[in-house]
Coordinates of all heavy atoms in Angstrom, one line a residue:
Q1 N 4.9 4.9 56.5 CA 3.7 4.8 55.7 C 2.8 3.6 55.9 O 1.7 3.6 55.8 CB 4.1 5.0 54.2 CG 4.6 6.3 53.8 CD 4.7 6.6 52.4 OE1 3.7 6.6 51.7 NE2 5.9 6.8 51.8
A2 N 3.5 2.5 56.2 CA 2.8 1.2 56.5 C 1.9 1.4 57.8 O 0.8 1.0 57.8 CB 3.8 0.1 56.7
K3 N 2.5 2.1 58.7 CA 1.7 2.4 60.0 C 0.5 3.3 59.7 O -0.7 3.1 60.2 CB 2.5 3.0 61.0 CG 3.6 2.2 61.6 CD 4.5 2.8 62.7 CE 5.5 1.9 63.2 NZ 6.4 2.6 64.2
K4 N 0.7 4.4 58.9 CA -0.4 5.2 58.6 C -1.4 4.6 57.7 O -2.7 4.9 57.9 CB 0.2 6.4 57.8 CG 1.0 7.4 58.7 CD 1.3 8.7 57.8 CE 2.1 9.8 58.7 NZ 2.4 10.9 58.0
M5 N -1.0 3.7 56.9 CA -2.0 3.0 56.0 C -2.6 1.7 56.7 O -3.4 1.1 56.1 CB -1.3 2.6 54.7 CG -0.9 3.8 53.8 SD 0.4 3.4 52.6 CE -0.6 2.6 51.4
A6 N -2.1 1.4 57.9 CA -2.5 0.2 58.6 C -2.3 -1.1 57.8 O -3.2 -1.9 57.7 CB -4.0 0.4 59.0
I7 N -1.1 -1.1 57.2 CA -0.8 -2.2 56.4 C 0.4 -3.0 57.0 O 1.3 -2.2 57.5 CB -0.5 -1.8 55.0 CG1 -1.7 -1.2 54.3 CG2 0.1 -3.1 54.1 CD1 -1.3 -0.8 52.8
D8 N 0.5 -4.2 57.0 CA 1.6 -5.0 57.5 C 2.9 -4.5 56.8 O 2.9 -4.5 55.5 CB 1.4 -6.4 57.4 CG 2.7 -7.2 57.9 OD1 2.8 -7.3 59.1 OD2 3.5 -7.7 57.0
E9 N 3.9 -4.1 57.5 CA 5.2 -3.5 56.9 C 5.8 -4.6 55.9 O 6.2 -4.1 54.8 CB 6.0 -3.2 58.1 CG 7.3 -2.5 57.5 CD 8.3 -2.2 58.6 OE1 7.9 -1.6 59.7 OE2 9.6 -2.3 58.5
I10 N 5.9 -5.9 56.4 CA 6.6 -6.8 55.5 C 5.7 -7.0 54.3 O 6.3 -7.0 53.1 CB 6.8 -8.1 56.2 CG1 7.8 -8.0 57.4 CG2 7.3 -9.2 55.4 CD1 8.0 -9.1 58.3
Y11 N 4.4 -7.1 54.4 CA 3.6 -7.2 53.2 C 3.8 -6.0 52.2 O 4.0 -6.2 51.0 CB 2.1 -7.4 53.6 CG 1.2 -7.3 52.4 CD1 0.9 -8.4 51.6 CD2 0.5 -6.0 52.1 CE1 0.0 -8.3 50.6 CE2 -0.3 -5.9 51.0 CZ -0.6 -7.1 50.3 OH -1.5 -7.0 49.2
L12 N 3.8 -4.8 52.8 CA 3.9 -3.6 52.0 C 5.3 -3.6 51.3 O 5.3 -3.3 50.0 CB 3.8 -2.4 52.8 CG 3.9 -1.0 52.0 CD1 2.8 -0.9 51.0 CD2 3.8 0.2 53.0
K13 N 6.4 -3.9 51.9 CA 7.6 -3.9 51.3 C 7.8 -5.0 50.2 O 8.3 -4.6 49.0 CB 8.8 -4.3 52.4 CG 9.0 -3.0 53.3 CD 10.2 -3.5 54.3 CE 10.5 -2.2 55.2 NZ 11.6 -2.5 56.1
N14 N 7.2 -6.2 50.4 CA 7.2 -7.2 49.3 C 6.4 -6.7 48.1 O 6.8 -6.9 47.0 CB 6.5 -8.5 49.9 CG 7.6 -9.1 50.8 OD1 8.7 -8.9 50.8 ND2 7.0 -10.0 51.7
R15 N 5.2 -6.1 48.3 CA 4.4 -5.6 47.2 C 5.2 -4.5 46.4 O 5.1 -4.5 45.1 CB 3.1 -5.1 47.7 CG 2.1 -6.1 48.2 CD 2.0 -7.5 47.4 NE 1.6 -7.2 46.1 CZ 1.8 -8.0 45.0 NH1 2.4 -9.1 45.2 NH2 1.3 -7.7 43.8
L16 N 5.8 -3.6 47.1 CA 6.5 -2.6 46.5 C 7.7 -3.1 45.7 O 8.0 -2.5 44.6 CB 7.0 -1.5 47.5 CG 5.8 -0.7 48.2 CD1 6.4 0.2 49.3 CD2 5.0 0.1 47.2
K17 N 8.4 -4.0 46.4 CA 9.5 -4.6 45.6 C 9.1 -5.3 44.2 O 9.8 -5.1 43.2 CB 10.2 -5.8 46.5 CG 11.4 -6.4 45.9 CD 12.0 -7.4 47.0 CE 13.3 -8.1 46.4 NZ 12.9 -8.9 45.4
Y18 N 8.0 -5.9 44.3 CA 7.4 -6.5 43.1 C 7.2 -5.4 42.0 O 7.4 -5.6 40.9 CB 6.2 -7.3 43.4 CG 5.4 -7.7 42.1 CD1 5.9 -8.8 41.3 CD2 4.3 -7.0 41.8 CE1 5.1 -9.1 40.2 CE2 3.5 -7.3 40.6 CZ 4.0 -8.4 39.8 OH 3.2 -8.7 38.6
C19 N 6.5 -4.4 42.6 CA 6.1 -3.2 41.6 C 7.4 -2.6 41.0 O 7.4 -2.2 39.8 CB 5.3 -2.2 42.4 SG 3.7 -2.8 42.9
R20 N 8.4 -2.4 41.9 CA 9.6 -1.8 41.3 C 10.3 -2.7 40.3 O 10.8 -2.2 39.3 CB 10.6 -1.5 42.5 CG 10.2 -0.4 43.4 CD 11.4 0.0 44.3 NE 11.9 -1.0 45.2 CZ 11.5 -1.4 46.3 NH1 10.5 -0.7 47.0 NH2 12.0 -2.4 47.0
E21 N 10.2 -4.0 40.5 CA 10.8 -4.9 39.5 C 10.0 -4.8 38.1 O 10.7 -4.8 37.1 CB 10.8 -6.3 40.0 CG 11.8 -6.6 41.1 CD 11.6 -7.9 41.9 OE1 10.6 -8.6 41.6 OE2 12.5 -8.2 42.7
V22 N 8.7 -4.6 38.2 CA 7.9 -4.6 37.0 C 8.3 -3.3 36.3 O 8.5 -3.3 35.0 CB 6.4 -4.5 37.3 CG1 5.6 -4.2 36.1 CG2 6.0 -6.0 37.9
L23 N 8.4 -2.2 37.0 CA 8.7 -0.9 36.4 C 10.2 -0.9 35.8 O 10.4 -0.3 34.8 CB 8.4 0.2 37.3 CG 7.0 0.4 37.9 CD1 7.0 1.6 38.9 CD2 6.1 0.7 36.7
F24 N 11.1 -1.5 36.5 CA 12.4 -1.5 36.1 C 12.5 -2.3 34.8 O 13.3 -1.8 33.8 CB 13.4 -2.1 37.2 CG 14.8 -2.3 36.8 CD1 15.6 -1.1 36.7 CD2 15.3 -3.5 36.4 CE1 16.8 -1.2 36.3 CE2 16.7 -3.5 36.1 CZ 17.5 -2.5 36.0
K25 N 11.8 -3.4 34.8 CA 12.0 -4.2 33.5 C 11.4 -3.3 32.3 O 12.0 -3.4 31.2 CB 11.1 -5.5 33.7 CG 11.2 -6.4 32.5 CD 10.4 -7.7 32.8 CE 10.5 -8.6 31.6 NZ 9.7 -9.9 31.9
H26 N 10.3 -2.7 32.6 CA 9.7 -1.8 31.5 C 10.7 -0.7 31.1 O 10.8 -0.3 30.0 CB 8.4 -1.2 31.9 CG 7.7 -0.3 30.9 ND1 7.1 -0.8 29.8 CD2 7.7 1.0 30.8 CE1 6.7 0.2 29.0 NE2 7.1 1.3 29.6
R27 N 11.3 -0.1 32.1 CA 12.1 1.0 31.9 C 13.3 0.6 31.1 O 13.9 1.5 30.3 CB 12.7 1.7 33.3 CG 13.3 3.0 33.0 CD 13.7 3.6 34.5 NE 15.0 3.1 34.9 CZ 15.6 3.4 36.1 NH1 15.1 4.3 36.7 NH2 16.7 2.8 36.4

């Protein structure tokens, strides 16, 4: 998906990791 979205893979993984942590805390 990072390639399809033309986004740096490491950047994407870091943003998603942050998002998952936010959602997990809320859950």
Side-chain angles (χ1 to χ4, degrees):
Q1 295 197 61
K3 291 178 181 178
K4 287 186 175 181
M5 298 163 70
I7 298 176
D8 179 75
E9 183 181 318
I10 295 176
Y11 170 81
L12 179 60
K13 287 183 175 180
N14 287 336
R15 294 314 302 162
L16 294 174
K17 181 175 183 291
Y18 167 77
C19 292
R20 291 195 301 269
E21 290 170 352
V22 170
L23 296 181
F24 178 70
K25 184 177 180 181
H26 177 77
R27 197 178 77 176

